Structures are given as C-alpha cells and as structure tokens.
Amino acid sequence: MRRPTIRNLAEAAGVSIATANRVLSGAENVRAQTREAVRAAAESIGFYGLGAIEARNAAARPKYRFGILLLQPHRPFYQLVARALQEAAAAMETVDIDLRIEHLEDLSPQNTADRALALAEECDALCVTTAVHPVVLQALEKIQTAGIPVFALISQVAATGQIHYVGLDNWKVGRTAAWAFDHICKSPGKIGLLMGNPRYRNQEMNETGFRSYFREHAREFTLLEPLSTFESSAVAQEMTERLLADHSDLAGLYVAGGGISGVLAALRGTGRAGTLTVVGYELMDNVKAALLDGTLTLSIAHPLARLATETMRGMIMAVEAKGENGSYTKIVPFDIYTRENV
C-alpha cells in the first residue's frame, strides 16, 4: 500500500497543498483551526509526518498565563472549581494555558485587592470570585485600565457589565428555589433564609428573585429576615440552631450562601433532619449524603465543567481581542438535584 503523500494529506484536510506544506514546516501564517484540521487528517490517513506536524503545531500555539482568585482553600466547593478550571485549561486544543490559581484565606477587601493586583502583574487575564467592595473595585478597574481583561466568576462584580461575568442567572436561581418551597412544602409556613454575605452580588440577586416569586405567587408563606453566615460553617450551624429554637413551626430553610455543612450538622443535631423542606447549593459529597438521607430536599448547582470551559474560552477571546471593546459574559444553566438523581 502506497505511503500517503502531501497531496493526500491536503485532500483529507480540505486545504491546498501549499497550506499543508506550511503546516508541516511550522510557518506562522496559518490559523490554529487549519493546523488542527491538517493534524487530524494526518492522523486519520497515517501520514508519515504526523509527529512533525504535532510538534510544529505545539510550538505555534499561543501561550497564555491566566490568574484565578478563589475563596478559601478548605472549602470543598472551591476545590472542585479549581479542579474543573485546571481540566478545562488542559483541554484547550488551540492554546497553551499556564493557570495560576490562588485561594484566598483572608477575604478582607484590602487583601483581595492586593492579591488581584499582584497576580495581574504576571498574567494575561484575571478571573476573581469576590464580594463587592470599593477597594476591590478600584483594584480591578486599575487592572483593566492596564489592558488586562478581568472576569468575575460565580458572583458578578459589576451590574452594568464593565467586568465580564461567567456564572448563573442568580435571579432565576432564587425564583427556582422559591418555586420548590411553594410546591414541596405540605402547607404554607415560615421560611428561614441563610445568606453568606450580602456583598456577594450573586447572593443579593438570589434573595431578590426568591422574594419576588413569593410576592407574585405564594403570599401565604412568611419569609423571615435573612441571617448572615459570613461563609462560615460554624456560624451557619449557630444561625440554624437559633432559627430552629425560635421558630418551632418552621416549614422550610433556604441556604443561599456558604456554610452548608454547618446547616446540615444543626439539622441532624437537633433531630429536625427530614422534618422540613431544605434547599441548598452545589453537589459536594456532604450535599449528596444529605440529599440521600433526606436532610436536604433539593440542591441547585453550578455545572462545573461547563462553567470552567466557558471561563477559559472567554478569557482566551478577551486576550486575543487585544483591547477591543466586547462583552465576554456567559450565563450558564444551573443543575437541580434531589435524592432521585444524584
């Protein structure tokens, strides 16, 4: 059987012989998509120069360094987010991404601003999960003014879109949680609400959507004033125990922020697990267990693989735009879990 030729390669890839030769020689004036098409064709027909094409393509790929600031390293959710981002970066076929992920133990505005500025100095684009605060906003504005794209991940930072956002439509998340209580609770009653920190815009929009649903469709429910957990499991446990002690007739509990493990501990410790409707977030191991044993009724979760992929794609496009105005905000759909589909 004859060995495949350059002509065979070009025909299989749907390009000219000259283009196939440019890919083989590593010429710079070839689009990444074309390089990949020729590589795939070489693999499919058994072309003798496959190894050389792969080496040339790897050398020609743009190389970017992206900085990521996430919340505390001990929180399982942000460990899962970091892993998903690393996998998405590695899966990008047309560019090489050096991902610098930093978890912030100290969530104070000044520390967040300082770490963002420091990371931006060595990166082509920056992605942050942060509460909204003037000190942080000033730092992010300074970074963008220097020509470095900034993305907000999971929680929006700017309502008017100056900072690109990748995450959920949190107003819809809140309304969906409210719909769940309206349809799952056996009868209307009091609903407790735990928020992590109202300075996180995703939680603020979440509460807005939550209350808007009840005003529109379920006025017979009583919504208690939200309690802040400050993203702490210990505080969340204390707040839950207080709610259960002060409201023996509590019909439901909505955990709209961090601290879910503390909530679950309080429900189990007081013997109230399974006696009221509880809606929470994400799908860590402790959440799966709580769904299965009935402590948690429903969980609304980020689709982490898609979230991470859209973040990488957005950051790549923003860097390659070289300062041209454009919006790279991407709203991803959320997942809903019960004990029947975990």
Side-chain angles (χ1 to χ4, degrees):
M1 186 174 181
R2 292 178 55 197
R3 188 169 70 166
T5 65
I6 291 286
R7 181 181 297 278
N8 300 140
L9 175 64
E11 291 175 352
V15 300
S16 67
I17 294 176
T19 297
N21 272 315
R22 285 202 300 272
V23 172
L24 191 57
S25 66
E28 294 182 358
N29 58 337
V30 182
R31 293 190 310 147
Q33 292 85 349
T34 302
R35 291 183 185 279
E36 174 55 26
V38 173
R39 186 211 63 78
E43 184 177 35
S44 68
I45 68 173
F47 184 69
Y48 66 90
L50 174 61
I53 292 173
E54 290 178 334
R56 301 289 192 277
N57 286 4
R61 279 199 296 266
K63 295 173 176 57
Y64 301 131
R65 179 176 293 169
F66 293 159
I68 310 289
L69 282 182
L70 300 175
L71 303 190
Q72 297 108 321
H74 64 269
R75 295 172 63 176
F77 173 65
Y78 288 101
Q79 295 172 12
L80 294 175
V81 172
R83 188 183 310 158
L85 288 168
Q86 290 167 339
E87 292 173 353
M92 294 292 112
E93 295 181 345
T94 59
V95 300
D96 289 334
I97 299 175
D98 176 10
L99 209 58
R100 301 291 178 90
I101 299 179
E102 182 175 337
H103 292 265
L104 295 176
E105 189 65 63
D106 175 3
L107 299 182
S108 67
Q110 189 61 59
N111 184 62
T112 302
D114 290 345
R115 295 313 308 152
L117 289 166
L119 196 56
E121 287 185 357
E122 56 186 47
C123 293
D124 299 298
L126 182 70
C127 181
V128 300
T129 300
T130 179
V132 177
H133 190 279
V135 171
V136 176
L137 294 178
Q138 184 179 45
L140 299 183
E141 182 179 349
K142 182 178 179 180
I143 292 167
Q144 290 207 128
T145 301
I148 300 170
V150 177
F151 282 72
L153 180 66
I154 298 171
S155 182
Q156 283 178 290
V157 174
T160 52
Q162 303 99 316
I163 294 177
H164 314 298
Y165 166 67
V166 182
L168 308 181
D169 181 333
N170 290 289
W171 188 78
K172 288 184 178 180
V173 170
R175 287 185 65 91
T176 300
W179 178 93
F181 285 107
D182 185 24
H183 287 77
I184 296 174
C185 287
K186 293 181 173 60
S187 60
K190 296 178 181 177
I191 304 294
L193 175 59
L194 295 178
M195 297 181 65
N197 184 335
R199 278 195 178 273
Y200 288 98
R201 196 178 294 277
N202 63 325
Q203 296 183 30
E204 180 184 42
M205 291 305 300
N206 193 329
E207 184 195 4
T208 300
F210 190 70
R211 292 184 179 278
S212 73
Y213 177 93
F214 282 105
R215 281 195 301 270
E216 185 178 351
H217 296 295
R219 289 180 172 270
E220 62 274 22
F221 282 85
T222 300
L223 302 186
L224 302 177
E225 281 300 303
L227 299 176
S228 292
T229 67
F230 304 104
E231 307 293 317
S232 163
S233 293
V235 175
Q237 182 170 352
E238 179 184 344
M239 294 298 100
T240 303
E241 290 170 350
R242 181 189 302 179
L243 275 172
L244 296 173
D246 293 346
H247 305 281
S248 58
D249 56 345
L250 198 67
L253 179 61
Y254 182 31
V255 188
I260 186 69
S261 59
V263 174
L264 300 177
L267 289 168
R268 291 173 177 138
T270 58
R272 295 296 303 277
T275 67
L276 64 161
T277 300
V278 183
V279 175
Y281 268 113
E282 309 311 340
L283 198 64
M284 297 80 71
D285 288 343
N286 60 342
V287 171
K288 291 180 183 177
L291 286 168
L292 291 172
D293 71 17
T295 304
L296 195 63
T297 311
L298 181 145
S299 187
I300 299 174
H302 288 81
L304 293 183
R306 180 167 181 180
L307 182 82
T309 297
E310 296 294 354
T311 300
M312 291 299 104
R313 286 175 178 168
M315 295 176 80
I316 292 168
M317 288 190 292
V319 170
E320 293 181 344
K322 300 185 185 303
E324 293 182 8
N325 291 331
S327 174
Y328 303 101
T329 288
K330 185 69 176 182
I331 304 299
V332 298
F334 48 85
D335 294 328
I336 296 176
Y337 293 99
T338 70
R339 67 185 298 173
E340 302 304 323
N341 70 329
V342 294

